[in-house]
Structure formats: structure tokens, C-alpha cells
Amino acid sequence: MTTLDTSSLTEMQNAILQRASTLKNAAGLSTSATKDAGGIASVSEGSKSGGILSFNDALNEAMSSVNDSYIQSTEAQDAYQKGETTDIASVMLSRQKASVAFQATLQMRNRLMDAYKTIMNMSV
């Protein structure tokens, strides 16, 4: 079994929050990572008047932004196929943004699962 100290858990949490912030930035949302008085890191969104999001809320918003980018990519591709637009560069850019957002989400999921497995294998 593996034992972890609090500093390595804090580093994992900060890495996860940084990835969530990166996903939101890729989706065009303004975010900032902050620490409260207890040293707990959280992600706050500028459009919610500085409110602090829980990890679950941050994850749900990241997933919805990934879904939105996929939907926009599909709509741009359909519009190009129908001849409604001739800008292939914007279609390819939207597809690439959706792909990068999805890959980042998969990497974040894998990191979270590894952290969960590590915590569950800790000796008490």
C-alpha cells in the first residue's frame, strides 16, 4: 500500500484545479484559482460575481463546455456540408477545439481516477 502526505495531495488537487481552469479558458469562460482562509483551493468564475464553485460544480461546467464545443463543431461541419458557409478554416478550428477539449477531459478523468485509487489504497 502507498502512503501519501498532505503536500502531495495538495499538489494533486492544485493540478486538477489547474486543468479545470484550462478547460474553462479553452471554452472562453474567465476563471481564477483562489485559496480561502483555510488554504483550500477553489475555482471561481467571473460571471458568477466572484462566487466559489464546488468541485462538483466546476466539473459539471467543464463537462458542459466540452459538450458545447462538440455541438458547435458538429453544427459548423453540417453548415459547411450544406454549403451555408465556405470557411473551411473555421470548421477545422472548431473541430480541433472540440478534440482538444475532449482529450483534456479524458486526461483529467484519468488523473482523478488515479488519485481516487491512491487514496483508497492508503493505510489508515
Side-chain angles (χ1 to χ4, degrees), residues 6 14 27 124:
T6 57
N14 288 337
V124 180

Side-chain angles (χ1 to χ4, degrees), residues 68-96 98-99:
D68 291 344
S69 68
Y70 176 76
I71 290 170
Q72 289 173 353
S73 169
T74 303
E75 289 172 352
Q77 182 179 354
D78 290 345
Y80 182 77
Q81 288 175 348
K82 292 177 184 177
E84 296 171 358
T85 183
T86 58
D87 188 12
I88 186 73
S90 66
V91 174
M92 294 306 294
L93 183 62
S94 67
R95 287 186 56 128
Q96 197 65 19
S99 175

Side-chain angles (χ1 to χ4, degrees), residues 9-82:
L9 287 174
T10 304
E11 289 174 13
M12 282 186 216
Q13 180 185 21
N14 288 337
I16 291 168
L17 290 172
Q18 180 63 31
R19 288 182 188 262
S21 176
T22 303
L23 284 173
K24 284 187 176 186
N25 287 339
L29 300 174
S30 64
T31 61
S32 62
T34 60
K35 287 194 175 188
D36 65 6
I40 305 296
S42 61
V43 177
S44 63
E45 183 179 355
S47 65
K48 286 198 172 186
S49 66
I52 296 177
L53 297 176
S54 69
F55 179 76
N56 188 35
D57 292 338
L59 187 61
N60 284 335
E61 285 189 17
M63 292 302 294
S64 72
S65 69
V66 170
N67 188 45
D68 291 344
S69 68
Y70 176 76
I71 290 170
Q72 289 173 353
S73 169
T74 303
E75 289 172 352
Q77 182 179 354
D78 290 345
Y80 182 77
Q81 288 175 348
K82 292 177 184 177

